[in-house]
Structure formats: C-alpha cells, structure tokens
Amino acid sequence: MSIKESSSKYSQKNFNDFGLGEKATAGNYRVLNKNGSFNIKKDNVGVLERINFFHVLVSMSWLQFLLIILGTYFCINLLFASLYMLVGIEHLTGIYGTTFLEQFTEAFFFSAQTITTLGYGQVAPIGILTNILAATESMMGLLGFALATGMVYGRFSKPAAKLKYSKFAVIAPYQDINGFMFRVVNPHGNQLLELEASVSLSILRENSELRSFFPLDLERSKVAFLPATWTLVHPITRESPFYQIKPEAFFKRDAEIIIVIKAFDESFSQSVYSRSSYKFNEIKWGEKFTYLISQKDGRVSVDVSGIDNTEPAKLNGEI
C-alpha cells in the first residue's frame, strides 16, 4: 500500500511545508539540519541586504566572538600606533625607545591606554594633530566598548531551548501496534514549561521529484514540564503515512522527519523553540529505547548519557 493510499485522513489536512513548497524541496537532500538550522543557501543577495552584524555576532560561537573582539581591538591599536608614528613620535612625550620597534611598541601601548580611556600618564600627546588623533581614538573606544558590551549582553540574554535529541529515532512496539519514537531531554538546569511538539513527515512522491508533507499525530503532543526525558510517539495506525511502509520505501523516497518543539523558559520568561530532524538512515526499525530513570538516594536519577541507547524489539505484525 502506498503512502498516499494509506493516509486519506492526512491528505485532508493542511500540510506544513515549512515555507519551502513542494517544488523547492524536490530532490534528495536534508531540509533541516540536526542542529535545527535550515539547509538553505541564499544566492544573489545584495551586499547591503546581506549585512546583519548583530545577528552574526549574537549567533556565532563564543570562541569566534571572542576572537573577533580581540582581533578588532588589536587591529585598531595597530592602526592608531601607525598613525602616531606617521605624525611623528616626537609629538608623544615619555617615549624612551631609540629603535623603530621600541618606539612603535610604546605607541601601540599608548593607543591601548587611550582607547580604553585608561591613560597611565607616562606618555601624552603634544600638538593639535596628535591630540585630535587621541581624542578620536578615545571616542571610538567608548563607542566600541559600548557596542561590545551590548553584544555580550545580547548573547547572554538570548533565549534558546537547547534540548538534546536522541541520535536515532526508532520503530518500536507500541501497545498492540507499533510506533515511531524519539527522545528528548533538557540537559541544562533551566526549567521548561508547557512544551508542545509538532512532527511532520517530508517524503518524495511516487515517480516524482516533488515532495509531500504529512503532519504526524502524536500519542501526547504536550507536556507540562520536562524534568526528565520525553519519548514522543507517533502511533502507526491504519491512517498513519507509516502504515505498511517498509524501510526500503523510506530509503527510496528520501523520507525526513521534521520536529519543532515550543516551550516556555522560566529563566528568560519567554517562549523558546527547538528544531531537529531525522533522515531515513537515522531510523532504527525493530528496536526500542532503554530505560534511563532510576532512584538514587531518595531522588529520581536520569542517565542523560544513555539517551541514544536502544535494544532489539520484536514488532507487532506488519508496519
């Protein structure tokens, strides 16, 4: 039985094509990366339209951010040290170096003191041109550090639901039928409330490069809290697009399961979102997740490191 024939219930629903459309998603590739980012590249975008410094600086890793801040700080000091040397090192008092390298080094550190408005007092500018340079650098320092402080605050205050998903999804026994399942856990100390999950199947149509999108009904699409783990289950009933579909068909049709989870983060008092996906080769058929919860010292213990652990399980009849 084909997916189309086994999902008349789903064909009457509004498909969530994630703003891409059935033609745009034609072909074999991943729509949504595991980390939640879309696998999309925008070409022929104007330079001015592409520039978004705030988004780039807030979204990049901390290591990249710190390297950019330090690199910018170093380059600005190199620039102004060169300008002081160009104007004339004799216009800076307290310079004791005799070689070019020694004088440039002292000018560099004078620039660092000026841009941070620290000013130890050993070196001071003399003459109108040198004072203009020092005043300009001081103003740049005030504005630059204000912007950097805002970026740091923006990074710390940016809400994000950093959920951990199981590496694989499974097709496992569920009651007297089978179900498509995956697990999520919140490994961080913040509390997430009122979680709501939306799961969809993206799959190529038979004998076509176009895609169809099927929303998947879940055993439980909402939970009030997530203090432990949450196993999301899509029951494979007769109305399910998974019904009587073999693994080979999923491989051939380049199936992808797309997940969106919405939650309320107590720490930020804001709604946060998490996205991920499973491709056909990330689904284990005939396996089930192992149990992660135990009791230790009068408390419930969750082994987060075992979120990916599965074991063989005999399926109930045909899928």
Side-chain angles (χ1 to χ4, degrees), residues 13-317:
K13 294 187 176 183
N14 292 323
F15 297 162
N16 183 4
D17 65 2
F18 309 100
L20 299 175
E22 57 187 20
K23 291 185 179 180
T25 52
N28 298 337
Y29 69 98
R30 191 172 205 131
V31 175
L32 192 67
N33 297 318
K34 292 292 288 184
N35 63 3
S37 61
F38 284 98
N39 189 24
I40 296 173
K41 179 184 178 183
K42 298 178 181 178
D43 297 322
N44 301 319
V45 179
V47 175
L48 295 179
E49 294 175 317
R50 185 178 300 177
I51 295 175
N52 191 340
F53 289 116
F54 180 81
H55 170 74
V56 172
L57 292 173
V58 169
S59 302
M60 67 176 51
S61 68
W62 273 104
L63 178 60
Q64 291 175 319
F65 177 75
L66 292 175
L67 288 176
I68 287 178
I69 294 296
L70 292 175
T72 303
Y73 175 75
F74 182 76
C75 291
I76 290 177
N77 283 314
L78 279 180
L79 172 64
F80 276 93
S82 301
L83 291 176
Y84 290 128
M85 293 293 292
L86 184 63
V87 171
I89 199 65
E90 66 275 8
H91 293 93
L92 293 177
T93 63
I95 299 292
Y96 301 110
T98 56
T99 66
F100 176 83
L101 181 59
E102 290 174 344
Q103 293 175 349
F104 186 86
T105 301
E106 291 190 65
F108 177 87
F109 286 113
F110 169 70
S111 172
Q113 296 162 21
T114 302
I115 199 171
T116 57
T117 66
L118 188 61
Y120 284 115
Q122 174 184 331
V123 181
I126 301 175
I128 186 64
L129 188 55
T130 312
N131 275 283
I132 289 175
L133 276 176
T136 303
E137 184 177 12
S138 178
M139 178 58 69
M140 286 185 60
L142 289 173
L143 293 176
F145 283 110
L147 288 173
T149 302
M151 291 297 172
V152 172
Y153 174 78
R155 293 180 64 87
F156 274 110
S157 61
K158 180 184 177 183
K162 296 181 179 179
L163 297 177
K164 183 176 182 179
Y165 294 80
S166 57
K167 185 177 180 180
F168 295 94
V170 298
I171 302 293
Y174 171 72
Q175 298 181 0
D176 57 346
I177 55 175
N178 300 298
F180 167 81
M181 309 177 189
F182 63 93
R183 286 199 291 206
V184 296
V185 65
N186 178 20
H188 304 280
N190 61 317
Q191 295 299 319
L192 299 178
L193 312 175
E194 300 176 358
L195 290 91
E196 183 175 355
S198 172
V199 182
S200 301
L201 168 65
S202 168
I203 195 165
L204 288 172
R205 299 176 186 175
E206 289 190 58
N207 303 317
S208 173
E209 286 296 313
L210 301 181
R211 282 186 173 269
S212 293
F213 298 85
F214 300 97
L216 302 181
D217 288 337
L218 299 176
E219 169 208 33
R220 184 172 64 252
S221 62
K222 298 179 182 180
V223 292
F225 314 104
L226 188 60
T229 61
W230 181 16
T231 301
L232 290 94
V233 181
H234 164 64
I236 302 178
T237 62
R238 290 181 177 272
E239 291 80 18
S240 169
F242 281 82
Y243 186 67
Q244 292 187 345
I245 299 301
K246 303 300 181 183
E248 297 78 12
F250 264 48
F251 299 161
K252 183 179 178 181
R253 307 275 292 279
D254 193 47
E256 181 177 2
I257 312 299
I258 299 176
I259 302 110
V260 179
I261 296 179
K262 176 184 177 181
F264 183 82
D265 192 323
E266 251 187 352
S267 302
F268 295 100
S269 295
Q270 293 184 34
S271 294
V272 292
Y273 293 85
S274 177
R275 300 182 297 267
S276 190
S277 70
Y278 293 97
K279 289 291 285 185
F280 56 84
N281 57 348
E282 296 169 337
I283 301 175
K284 293 184 176 181
W285 297 67
E287 296 200 27
K288 66 179 182 180
F289 290 114
T290 58
Y291 200 60
L292 300 181
I293 300 177
S294 60
Q295 293 185 3
K296 292 182 180 179
D297 303 325
R299 303 180 67 180
V300 176
S301 175
V302 181
D303 182 12
V304 177
S305 64
I307 189 173
D308 301 323
N309 295 344
T310 62
E311 59 186 14
K314 184 178 180 180
L315 298 176
N316 292 317

